[in-house]
Amino acid sequence: KEIKLAYRKCALVWHPDKNPNNQEEAEIRFKEITAAYTILSDPQERAWYDNHRESILQGKDAEQGEQQDAVNLWGYFSDSCFNGYEKETENNFYQVYADIFEELARIESEEGEEDGELRPYFGNCESDLDDVYVFYTTWEAFSSSRSFGWSDKYKLS
């Protein structure tokens, strides 16, 4: 009940219709508020969030360092990281996720991925279904060749 009340209060403040002079920021804030409410009002999602709160807020494990070229993926689990699906919109869904997948592929290739395979492009709203299938098939089978020893909780040495 407390979460619902806080959500409604924040939603009223940041609803885009209530902020005609600051519509762009209001849309971003309203998406973030809605995403937070969705997570916190679901008991399973809330339990997961509570268990990983520090990692989410800091973008890494609170007790561990972060490798220099590590990509912080937490922000991409929310729809507030993109602005719609239209091809013409800056920072649209396809552009944002294409950029992150290209960055992941670049980092993997720099780490000396054995087969040197090029990963398929994420695509856009006009992509052929066969291209979408190839993209998902490739990334679904993805396994990083990188070492994540820097993030080990228990140092045995």
Side-chain angles (χ1 to χ4, degrees), residues 49-110:
Y49 172 82
D50 288 343
N51 288 333
H52 298 87
R53 184 175 186 275
E54 290 302 315
S55 296
I56 294 168
L57 294 176
Q58 295 183 12
K60 60 182 178 182
D61 188 341
E63 298 175 11
Q64 303 298 322
E66 188 168 331
Q67 191 174 18
Q68 293 289 24
D69 64 350
V71 177
N72 183 351
L73 297 175
W74 286 116
Y76 298 96
F77 288 96
S78 168
D79 63 359
S80 64
C81 72
F82 62 88
N83 296 320
Y85 297 90
E86 293 77 30
K87 193 175 177 182
E88 302 79 30
T89 306
E90 187 176 342
N91 291 325
N92 67 60
F93 172 84
Y94 302 101
Q95 177 187 359
V96 167
Y97 287 102
D99 290 348
I100 192 62
F101 277 102
E102 284 180 21
E103 178 67 7
L104 292 171
R106 183 193 63 76
I107 291 171
E108 283 295 320
S109 68
E110 287 178 0

Side-chain angles (χ1 to χ4, degrees), residues 121-136:
Y121 179 66
F122 183 75
N124 58 43
C125 60
E126 298 169 351
S127 293
D128 184 60
L129 189 55
D130 291 335
D131 294 334
V132 173
Y133 178 78
V134 169
F135 173 84
Y136 279 102

